[in-house]
Amino acid sequence: GGIRISVIGDSTKLPTSLQKLINEVEETTKHNSRLQLIVAVSYSGKYDVVQACRSIAEKAKDGQVELDDINESLIEQELETNCTEHPYPDLLIRTSGELRVSNFLLWQLAYTELFFAQELWPDFRKDEFVDALSSYQQRQRRYGGRH
């Protein structure tokens, strides 16, 4: 039971005391399985892809990875969202009338359905959420293929 808390993003920009607290919370909750809360702190999609590439380059330099081993699957294993068994959202709801993903989960959103709401986040309520879910239910998921 309980909630597992995971933090993604560049936590090196945070004060050391907060980095320590994040590590403690992640360690304390790592075996909880009822829900998982992923907190994005100083996170960007570009940062995530760059840190994955750096990690793979480091492994290649150390001889753990061969050039031919580098594929989509390997990159996905190095993305920070590998902390969850569900790294690819089915639906992204973007509030505040913004019509962009704003450098968020760039790799992971490849086949995600997008819903844009005019309401600001604090004003996004149950009715707006139901609208987003209804819109999603009416869509035909193709995952990059044609039908």
Side-chain angles (χ1 to χ4, degrees), residues 91 113-116 128-140:
L91 174 66
E113 297 291 327
L114 308 176
F115 181 84
F116 300 98
E128 289 79 21
F129 186 56
V130 169
D131 286 346
L133 295 179
S134 296
S135 171
Y136 174 77
Q137 285 177 327
Q138 295 168 24
R139 300 179 189 191
Q140 183 181 11

Side-chain angles (χ1 to χ4, degrees), residues 50-100:
V50 168
Q51 71 78 30
C53 290
R54 284 187 172 158
S55 178
I56 292 168
E58 200 60 43
K59 289 177 179 176
K61 191 174 89 177
D62 294 345
Q64 300 170 355
V65 169
E66 295 296 323
L67 198 57
D68 290 342
D69 297 334
I70 300 173
N71 56 25
E72 286 185 18
S73 178
L74 183 64
I75 292 169
E76 288 165 1
Q77 290 170 34
E78 296 297 332
L79 293 171
E80 295 208 328
T81 46
N82 71 356
C83 67
T84 178
E85 59 184 283
H86 306 289
Y88 307 103
D90 292 315
L91 174 66
L92 173 75
I93 300 170
R94 180 65 161 121
T95 59
S96 310
E98 298 286 350
L99 300 178
R100 55 195 170 91

Side-chain angles (χ1 to χ4, degrees), residues 17-35:
S17 58
L18 189 51
Q19 290 180 45
K20 187 172 183 248
L21 180 62
I22 287 170
N23 291 335
E24 288 171 10
V25 167
E26 286 181 321
E27 186 62 29
T28 305
T29 64
K30 73 179 180 184
H31 298 295
N32 294 351
S33 57
R34 193 164 53 92
L35 288 172

